[in-house]
């Protein structure tokens, strides 16, 4: 048998302090994040990557806004609606933002009921979230068609820099795609919750992994992220 | 640093997938084609990457023939030269090196080295390969579209990338951008898997600071890729919009062929920033896995523990972090504000510190080691010298004042081929010679391997050393022919012819490698489970090649770090990571 430095099972484990302690905690056995499942870790890391995508989009928008020599159209005017004879700036976008933020609330409630294993309430709240999301996308489609009717195109618009339309359609389009994908996933997950897949640990059709209520939270992470990104788009594109 | 902590390994509940949780293939198709086994996916990735790499090799031949013997081949005109150059660069950097290191080595080694049964989400992992294959097929399709592939250079700088005078303007550039976006989507699916497997899917006892450096290298590179590819993705989307529907993100007001184009107000420099925010980490995406692989090869084949393991880890992480702060050193001559050059030159030179730590540690690992000059070891040694050579010219180019005259000359070409072309490819060769016995159960032929090594190694130097000189003489890169330029001395023409002849020979030597790979499948010497006497877990599998689920009924437990070679008093000159320590008896 090999003769090696020996271990004394009776000796206590000394825990390093300070930076070394942080390193030791992070690098410790099996898992860096102790109570985090694989799926949740994967979603967080995906969202980090996606953050870089949206950051690049927004930074690029700011760069072209500075590089263009034409005047930048005034968002308050462009995104104003005439309602009941009154000219209200940014009203549509305010409603859209309100709806999307509210959907984060219903999503959070769905996660809560999911962990209480209340399958009907979970499913209903997820469907409500999906409905609010779909409303958001619908209003975005209305906004797009209104702007298109007014002559805004990705390559030009009546009021100034062409990059206004280019950035608008690209960024809201990319975000709207995210919302739409979220809506689809919410509907699929709501169906699974409704059917009781998470109670019976029914295996997924593609992945053949057992279902559980944590999937609701993971879907929620994505949904909250999409909402958060919207706040930045709203601030940097509409309010600036 | 033989840290035994056998008394703490029971403290966590087990987060492992039981054998039954894995998808068990029911037919030949699900076992070998649409496989969810990371090992099969790794082989699929590797074969695809090496195959498309051969296409890039042929293109480098054609370019070299034009440079060495201008006009020799009548079918190479200026347009096709640029197309070959673009496709060679793009394939080598992204579709070969990135895919092979992360998709190939990553998929094979991460679960095995960590004592896991598979990647955390095998189904997503499978999709990753098929999207990658689709990206490669779309890329290949660009050879067959009207106008051929794009000739914009692998950096695809606008405005020229989408102007009418650039070859491949009709379809080539569109197909290229779509292929890149597909690649990024496919890579993200795989990359998330690699990162989560490393962070959350390790076996008992496998702390992060006991992981083999190969895993550390691949892990850090994957994190870089997940954060760097978004910039390329966004750049591709915007250029595609510029090209297809006429937006002006990157396009300033411009007159082309005597005609005012409908573009205006965009920022071409913006693309360069986006591209290099991806492009510089990309250098380390291919270098860090190579660093890791080389560390393990050197330690194993010199029968010595790696010198300064923790410093090696910190150096990897530091290089990874710094690589996001240096991108604009590719843009000193782009018209960027000179103050930025000052900043980026400083950060660039700081990277030399962790890199030097790694090189010194490799050398100190070799010092007084029991060096076995096997083929993997030869490649590891070749990697070190090549990488140091390429790194030293990097110090030249990182300084603004030296870079400005050298920019866009063959010196730059020689530099980046040494440091991120030849060096990582040596690591890949070394890795393949090292792990082939685990993948197939048979050793590659040593004779053919040494022939392949010496021709490739000496040839690479014969190609790229003179190229530095050619660059210093002022020969610009990306020129189809020199014509009658007075500043280019005739000696460079002679050297160019010499380089071309060597390049043809080195290229042909790769056929020896391919032959060796195919022949050894059947006729190679049976390797047994652990032919190199290595400590890491992938060599301790119950079967060779490892079966589905890797470990049979029970997962291994890691009791020690990965570098217990030549431990005094031990019966063998290596102690596998899963060998338990002897408990103290009274």
């Amino acid at each position: 048998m090999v003769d090696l430095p020996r271990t004394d099972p009776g000796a206590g484990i000394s825990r390093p302090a300070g930076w070394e302690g942080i390193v030791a905690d992070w690098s410790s056995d099996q898992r860096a994040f102790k109570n985090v499942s694989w799926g949740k870790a994967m979603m967080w890391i995906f969202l980090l990557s996606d953050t870089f995508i949206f950051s690049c989009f927004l930074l690029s928008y700011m760069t072209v806004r500075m590089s263009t020599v034409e005047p930048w159209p005034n968002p308050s005017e462009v995104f104003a609606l005439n309602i009941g004879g009154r000219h209200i700036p940014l009203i549509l976008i305010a409603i859209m933002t309100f709806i999307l933020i509210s959907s984060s609330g219903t999503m959070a409630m769905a996660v809560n009921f999911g962990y209480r294993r209340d399958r009907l309430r979970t499913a209903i709240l997820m469907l409500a979230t999906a409905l609010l999301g779909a409303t958001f996308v619908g209003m975005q489609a209305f906004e797009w068609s209104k702007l298109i009717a007014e002559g805004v195109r990705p390559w030009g618009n009546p009021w100034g820099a062409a990059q206004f339309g280019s950035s608008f359609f690209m960024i809201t389009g990319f975000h709207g795609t995210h919302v739409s994908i979220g809506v689809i996933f919410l509907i699929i997950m709501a169906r699974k919750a409704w059917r009781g897949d998470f109670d019976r640990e029914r295996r997924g059709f593609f992945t053949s992994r057992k279902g559980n209520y944590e999937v609701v939270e993971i879907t929620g992470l994505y949904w909250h992220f999409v909402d958060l990104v919207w706040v930045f788009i709203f601030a940097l594109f509409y309010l600036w | 640093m033989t840290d035994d902590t056998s008394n703490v390994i029971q403290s966590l509940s087990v987060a492992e997938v039981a054998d039954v949780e894995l998808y068990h293939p029911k037919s030949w198709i699900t076992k070998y084609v649409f496989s969810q086994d990371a090992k099969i996916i790794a082989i699929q990735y590797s074969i695809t990457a090496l195959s498309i790499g051969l296409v890039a090799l042929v293109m480098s031949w054609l370019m070299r023939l034009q440079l060495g013997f201008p006009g020799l081949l009548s079918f190479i005109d200026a347009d096709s030269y640029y197309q070959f150059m673009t496709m060679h660069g793009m394939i080598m950097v992204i579709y070969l090196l990135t895919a092979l290191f992360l998709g190939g080595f990553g998929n094979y080694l991460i679960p095995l080295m960590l004592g896991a049964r598979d990647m955390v989400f095998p189904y997503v992992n499978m999709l990753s390969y098929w999207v990658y294959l689709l990206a490669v097929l779309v890329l290949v399709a660009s050879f067959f579209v009207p106008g051929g592939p794009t000739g914009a250079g692998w950096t695809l700088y606008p405005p020229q990338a989408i102007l009418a005078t650039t070859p491949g303007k009709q379809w080539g550039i569109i197909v290229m951008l779509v292929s890149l976006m597909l690649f990024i989507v496919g890579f993200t699916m795989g990359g998330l898997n690699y990162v989560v497997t490393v962070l959350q899917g390790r076996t008992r006892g496998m702390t992060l600071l006991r992981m083999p450096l190969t895993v550390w290298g691949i892990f850090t590179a994957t994190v870089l890729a997940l954060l760097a590819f978004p910039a390329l993705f966004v750049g591709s989307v915007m250029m595609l919009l510029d090209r297809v529907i006429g937006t002006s993100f990157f396009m300033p007001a411009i007159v082309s062929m005597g005609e005012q184009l409908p573009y205006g107000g965009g920022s071409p420099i913006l693309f360069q920033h986006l591209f290099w925010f991806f492009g510089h980490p990309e250098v380390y995406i291919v270098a860090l896995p190579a660093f890791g692989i080389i560390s393990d090869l050197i330690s194993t084949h010199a029968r010595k523990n790696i010198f300064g393991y923790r410093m090696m880890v910190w150096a990897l992480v530091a290089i990874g972090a710094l690589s996001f702060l240096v991108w604009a050193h590719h843009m000193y001559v782009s018209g960027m504000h000179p103050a930025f050059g000052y900043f980026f030159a400083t950060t660039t030179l700081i990277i030399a510190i962790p890199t030097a730590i790694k090189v010194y540690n490799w050398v100190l690992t070799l010092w007084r080691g029991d060096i076995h000059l096997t083929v993997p070891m030869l490649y590891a040694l070749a990697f070190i010298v090549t990488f140091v050579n390429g790194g030293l010219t990097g110090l030249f180019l990182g300084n603004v004042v030296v870079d400005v005259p050298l920019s866009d000359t063959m010196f730059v070409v020689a530099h980046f081929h040494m440091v991120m072309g030849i060096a990582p490819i040596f690591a890949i060769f070394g890795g393949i010679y090292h792990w082939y016995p685990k993948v197939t159960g048979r050793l590659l032929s040593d004779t053919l391997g040494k022939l392949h090594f010496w021709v490739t190694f000496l040839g690479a130097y014969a190609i790229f050393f003179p190229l530095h000189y050619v660059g210093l003489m002022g020969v610009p890169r990306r020129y189809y022919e020199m014509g009658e330029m007075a500043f280019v001395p005739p000696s460079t023409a002679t050297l160019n012819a010499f380089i071309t002849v060597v390049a043809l020979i080195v290229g042909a030597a790769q056929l020896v490698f391919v032959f060796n790979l195919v022949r050894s499948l059947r006729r190679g010497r049976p390797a047994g489970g652990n032919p190199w006497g290595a400590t890491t877990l992938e060599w301790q599998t119950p079967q060779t090649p490892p079966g589905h689920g890797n470990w049979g009924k029970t997962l291994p437990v890691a009791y020690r770090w990965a570098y217990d070679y030549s431990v005094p008093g031990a019966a063998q000159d290596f102690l596998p990571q899963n060998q338990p320590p002897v408990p103290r008896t009274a």
Side-chain angles (χ1 to χ4, degrees):
Chain A
M1 210 40 209
V2 192
D3 186 36
L4 280 175
R6 301 190 170 191
T7 322
D8 183 357
I13 312 154
S14 61
R15 300 182 66 82
W19 285 107
E20 280 189 26
I22 292 171
V23 173
D25 283 350
W26 272 74
S27 63
S28 63
D29 199 19
Q30 294 192 4
R31 275 163 283 164
F33 308 102
K34 294 302 174 205
N35 294 316
V36 178
S37 72
W38 291 347
K40 207 196 279 186
M42 198 163 184
M43 179 52 84
W44 272 111
I45 295 166
F46 166 72
L47 294 181
L48 185 64
S49 188
D50 215 14
T51 305
F52 272 62
I53 290 197
F54 278 106
S55 309
C56 288
F57 271 127
L58 287 172
L59 284 167
S60 301
Y61 143 71
M62 293 177 213
T63 312
V64 292
R65 187 165 170 168
M66 284 188 287
S67 75
T68 184
V69 288
E70 304 279 327
W72 196 258
N74 179 2
S76 308
E77 288 305 310
V78 175
F79 300 111
L81 282 186
N82 284 311
I83 300 174
R86 289 180 61 190
H87 187 72
I88 310 174
L90 294 176
I91 179 68
L92 179 65
I93 213 68
I95 299 171
M96 282 167 69
T97 307
F98 180 76
I99 287 175
L100 199 63
I101 304 289
S102 309
S103 77
S104 260
T106 52
M107 186 70 235
M109 287 159 76
V111 174
N112 185 346
F113 283 113
Y115 281 120
R116 293 162 189 243
R117 307 185 75 82
D118 186 337
R119 99 191 142 78
L120 284 181
R121 284 207 178 97
T122 308
I124 289 167
L125 281 162
M126 287 180 90
L127 285 176
T129 312
L131 191 66
L132 289 169
T135 313
F136 175 87
V137 177
M139 294 173 83
Q140 197 160 54
F142 169 75
E143 187 183 40
W144 274 43
S145 48
K146 174 179 168 284
L147 287 182
I148 291 169
E150 287 170 358
V152 184
R153 298 288 185 276
W155 53 90
N157 62 62
W159 311 298
Q163 281 76 14
F164 176 81
S166 327
S167 310
F168 172 77
F169 287 118
M170 180 178 70
I171 294 176
T172 58
F174 203 74
H175 179 265
T177 310
H178 271 71
V179 179
S180 307
I181 291 169
V183 168
I184 292 166
F185 269 87
L186 279 166
I187 292 171
I188 294 171
M189 294 307 157
R191 176 169 175 266
K192 281 176 180 253
W194 189 282
R195 205 167 53 177
D197 286 12
F198 301 143
D199 300 294
R200 286 182 280 117
E201 299 199 326
R202 181 172 159 149
R203 287 181 183 277
F205 178 73
F206 289 113
T207 60
S208 69
R209 284 276 167 87
K210 285 178 187 167
N212 64 61
Y213 276 107
E214 193 184 38
V215 176
V216 181
E217 191 191 349
I218 294 171
T219 316
L221 284 177
Y222 175 82
W223 192 257
H224 296 314
F225 168 78
V226 171
D227 287 3
L228 182 65
V229 166
W230 176 255
V231 173
F232 282 91
I233 295 173
F234 178 64
L236 294 171
F237 201 93
Y238 293 87
L239 297 185
W240 178 14
Chain B
M1 213 184 87
T2 328
D3 55 342
D4 298 320
T5 46
S6 55
N7 49 347
V8 291
I9 56 172
Q10 300 293 349
S11 58
L12 261 184
S13 63
V14 184
E16 60 208 32
V17 187
D19 194 32
V20 288
E21 277 281 333
L22 289 177
Y23 173 80
H24 287 292
K26 293 170 191 72
S27 66
W28 189 85
I29 299 261
T30 46
K31 191 165 181 188
Y32 294 109
V33 183
F34 293 100
S35 174
Q36 298 190 22
D37 183 345
K39 297 186 292 298
I40 305 283
I41 296 170
I43 294 166
Q44 291 172 326
Y45 253 113
S46 306
I47 291 174
T48 313
L50 288 173
S51 308
I52 192 74
L54 286 177
V55 175
L57 175 74
V58 171
M59 278 185 274
S60 72
W61 274 355
L62 295 172
M63 276 187 288
R64 276 317 315 178
L65 280 169
Q66 170 59 29
L67 288 174
F69 309 100
L72 179 72
L73 295 177
S74 57
F75 66 90
I76 307 179
D77 54 10
D79 278 6
S80 51
Y81 178 83
Y82 289 124
Q83 291 169 328
F84 295 151
M85 184 190 72
T86 308
M87 298 308 272
H88 170 78
M90 208 52 113
I91 291 174
M92 277 295 178
V93 173
I94 294 182
Y95 300 87
L96 171 70
L97 286 174
T98 309
L100 189 51
F101 270 126
L102 304 180
F105 283 92
N107 264 317
Y108 205 88
L109 295 175
I110 290 174
L112 277 168
M113 283 187 154
L114 298 179
R117 293 211 181 273
D118 206 319
M119 288 291 178
V120 289
F121 290 103
Y123 182 80
V124 182
N125 208 22
M126 174 183 79
L127 281 185
S128 161
Y129 169 72
W130 290 100
V131 178
Y132 163 65
L133 182 65
L134 182 63
V136 170
L137 292 178
V138 170
L139 183 83
V140 171
S142 73
F143 287 100
F144 304 102
V145 296
T150 179
W154 90 278
T155 49
L156 302 177
Y157 277 6
Q160 55 93 16
I162 52 179
L163 289 184
T165 42
T166 305
K169 137 90 176 164
Q170 298 94 314
W171 283 101
I173 183 71
I174 297 176
V175 172
M176 180 81 252
L177 294 169
V178 170
S179 171
L180 281 174
M181 286 151 73
L182 284 171
F183 180 90
I184 295 167
V185 170
F187 170 78
T188 305
M189 293 194 265
L192 291 169
N193 251 316
Y194 315 152
V195 170
V196 178
T197 307
V198 170
L199 287 177
Q200 304 292 89
R202 285 166 277 138
T203 189
R204 281 189 291 163
M206 184 60 78
T207 66
L208 283 180
L209 288 174
R210 279 184 187 171
M211 292 198 306
L213 286 167
T214 301
V215 180
W216 263 111
I218 294 170
F219 169 68
T220 320
T222 310
V223 174
L224 294 193
L226 286 175
L227 303 182
F229 273 122
L232 180 66
F233 185 85
V234 169
S236 302
V237 169
M238 289 164 55
M239 196 189 283
L240 201 60
L241 292 175
D242 278 6
R243 166 66 186 83
V244 177
I245 62 170
T247 59
S248 300
F249 289 112
F250 301 135
M251 300 299 278
I254 200 165
V255 175
S256 171
M257 317 277 280
E259 221 181 303
Q260 171 79 44
L261 298 184
Y263 296 113
S267 167
I269 299 281
L270 170 63
F271 180 83
Q272 298 190 19
H273 280 295
L274 287 172
F275 183 85
W276 289 115
F277 187 79
F278 145 76
H280 197 81
E282 172 64 32
V283 172
Y284 291 98
I285 291 166
V286 305
L288 296 184
F291 291 169
I293 288 169
I294 291 306
S295 308
D296 281 357
L297 295 193
I298 283 182
S299 182
T300 305
H301 294 275
R303 317 306 299 163
K304 244 189 94 187
N305 63 313
I306 194 81
F307 186 91
Y309 171 80
R310 275 178 181 247
M311 273 302 130
M312 293 299 253
V313 172
W314 288 122
L316 283 174
V317 175
I319 294 170
L322 283 169
S323 74
F324 282 101
L325 302 174
V326 300
W327 76 90
H329 67 210
H330 298 270
M331 298 165 55
Y332 290 151
V333 295
S334 71
M336 185 180 66
H337 194 286
F340 289 138
Y342 185 79
F343 172 79
F344 284 106
T346 311
T347 51
T348 302
L349 297 182
I350 290 175
I351 285 202
I353 298 169
T355 316
I357 290 178
K358 296 199 76 70
V359 174
Y360 282 120
N361 283 357
W362 288 324
V363 175
L364 284 165
T365 306
L366 288 169
W367 190 52
R368 289 187 162 183
D370 175 13
I371 296 172
H372 297 242
L373 285 178
T374 55
V375 181
M377 186 59 157
L378 288 172
Y379 271 112
L381 299 174
F383 171 87
I384 298 178
V385 282
T386 319
F387 184 75
V388 169
N389 270 152
L392 287 176
T393 48
L395 294 179
F396 288 56
L397 296 172
N399 282 294
V400 186
V401 280
V402 192
D403 178 75
V404 169
L406 286 175
S407 202
D408 286 322
T409 66
M410 282 295 184
F411 188 86
V412 178
V413 176
H415 158 71
F416 70 69
H417 273 89
M418 283 298 251
V419 80
M420 75 167 293
I422 301 303
I425 283 174
F426 282 174
I428 282 175
F429 283 141
I432 290 176
Y433 281 100
H434 185 76
W435 280 294
Y436 187 87
K438 183 47 68 179
V439 179
T440 63
R442 287 173 188 274
L443 289 157
L444 285 167
S445 156
D446 211 38
T447 321
L448 289 176
K450 284 195 169 139
L451 175 72
H452 173 228
F453 169 77
W454 284 111
V455 177
T456 310
F457 176 60
L458 297 178
Y461 265 82
I463 293 168
F464 291 107
F465 243 48
L467 207 59
H468 288 94
Y469 170 79
V470 172
L472 283 172
M473 289 294 103
V475 174
R477 70 191 275 210
R478 295 185 169 177
Y479 272 41
Y480 161 68
E481 59 186 350
M482 292 310 133
E484 301 292 313
M485 287 181 200
F487 66 87
V488 176
S491 65
T492 59
T494 322
L495 269 180
N496 261 330
F498 168 76
I499 292 171
T500 299
V501 172
V502 182
L504 291 174
I505 296 170
V506 172
Q510 307 317 308
L511 294 176
V512 176
F513 174 66
V514 175
F515 173 72
N516 198 355
L517 285 181
V518 177
R519 178 184 171 277
S520 302
L521 268 183
R522 288 285 163 80
R523 319 236 341 236
R525 204 150 46 81
N530 190 358
W532 312 115
T535 56
T536 40
L537 288 180
E538 82 273 22
W539 299 103
Q540 326 302 335
T541 52
Q543 295 159 296
T544 298
H548 187 54
N550 292 348
W551 304 104
K553 288 223 177 306
T554 50
L555 291 184
V557 177
Y559 291 98
R560 56 190 75 246
W561 72 332
Y563 299 99
D564 268 342
Y565 289 103
S566 305
V567 176
Q572 290 171 298
D573 71 344
F574 69 102
L575 293 171
Q577 276 192 282
N578 60 347
Q579 174 152 331
V582 188
R584 177 175 290 170
T585 46

